[in-house]
Amino acid sequence: MDEKRYRVFLALPSPLGLSEKMKAFQRGKEKPPLRWVIYEKIHLTLVFWPALTITEFKLLGEIVEKKLFKKNLSNNISSIISGFAYFYRAQVLYLKETSEQVFSIQKIIENQLGDLPKEFIFRKTESFIPHWTIARKFKISMLNKYEKYFQALDKFTYISETKAPVLYLSKDGSYIPFS
């Protein structure tokens, strides 16, 4: 019997204080009717596997732990968020990560995981943009309708530290960390 397949991703957790900054930004503003992401779920995906079973997730977690987390990637990481962008087809609104340290860590992770068994091949970053998803069901027509809101969001910046990457399995709306 085949196990159900889930999305698995290696991600940085939300920078310290980002949820408070986002809540403060949204208070008192005319905001578009978006499907906002719960603040506790905001994360920056570094590497993504579209379909793994729970058994494969556990196996991958053991490999990632040996290859990455023993290599001192667990230090605090500087995150620099600057403005927003969106994925039109996926209808996702996101904050842009601009920290060179984050991009450097992503390359290190990809190099360290480059020789994984074929069942654990991940999506490469050439077509992948690291991003902090903040809302879904985003429609481009909102840019004109809520112009002042999006002008203000484009000036949104936040600099803080985030913790080490975490391997998650996305299941039924929950993110289950590998432990």
Side-chain angles (χ1 to χ4, degrees), residues 140-157:
I140 290 182
S141 61
M142 293 178 183
L143 291 172
N144 290 331
K145 189 173 180 183
Y146 301 95
E147 184 177 354
K148 287 184 181 171
Y149 181 83
F150 287 107
Q151 285 174 346
L153 185 57
D154 202 34
K155 294 175 183 151
F156 182 92
T157 57

Side-chain angles (χ1 to χ4, degrees), residues 68-146:
L68 290 180
F69 300 136
K70 306 284 187 225
K71 300 221 184 271
N72 234 358
L73 280 178
S74 59
N75 298 333
N76 285 343
I77 299 164
S78 292
S79 169
I80 303 170
I81 293 171
S82 181
F84 81 98
Y86 55 88
F87 296 124
Y88 175 67
R89 284 176 98 76
Q91 295 184 316
V92 167
L93 183 72
Y94 65 90
L95 297 174
K96 295 186 288 187
E97 177 61 55
T98 61
S99 166
E100 286 301 319
Q101 184 186 16
V102 169
F103 296 123
S104 174
I105 285 171
Q106 183 184 33
K107 291 294 179 208
I108 290 167
I109 288 169
E110 285 187 346
N111 289 337
Q112 291 294 320
L113 298 179
D115 62 348
L116 289 174
K118 66 179 179 176
E119 63 267 28
F120 298 124
I121 299 300
F122 52 87
R123 296 245 173 114
K124 295 283 188 186
T125 57
E126 292 90 49
S127 61
F128 181 79
I129 301 169
H131 58 283
W132 300 95
T133 299
I134 57 172
R136 299 188 183 282
K137 304 293 182 192
F138 174 76
K139 297 186 178 10
I140 290 182
S141 61
M142 293 178 183
L143 291 172
N144 290 331
K145 189 173 180 183
Y146 301 95

Side-chain angles (χ1 to χ4, degrees), residues 13-14 25 41 45 51 55-56 84 90 102 107 121 142 146 178:
S14 180
F25 174 81
K41 287 189 170 187
T45 303
T55 303
E56 289 170 331
F84 81 98
V102 169
K107 291 294 179 208
I121 299 300
M142 293 178 183
Y146 301 95
F178 175 80

Side-chain angles (χ1 to χ4, degrees), residues 162-179:
T162 183
K163 299 293 180 195
V166 177
L167 185 67
Y168 293 101
L169 179 128
S170 179
K171 182 180 179 189
D172 303 324
S174 297
Y175 297 151
I176 302 165
F178 175 80
S179 52

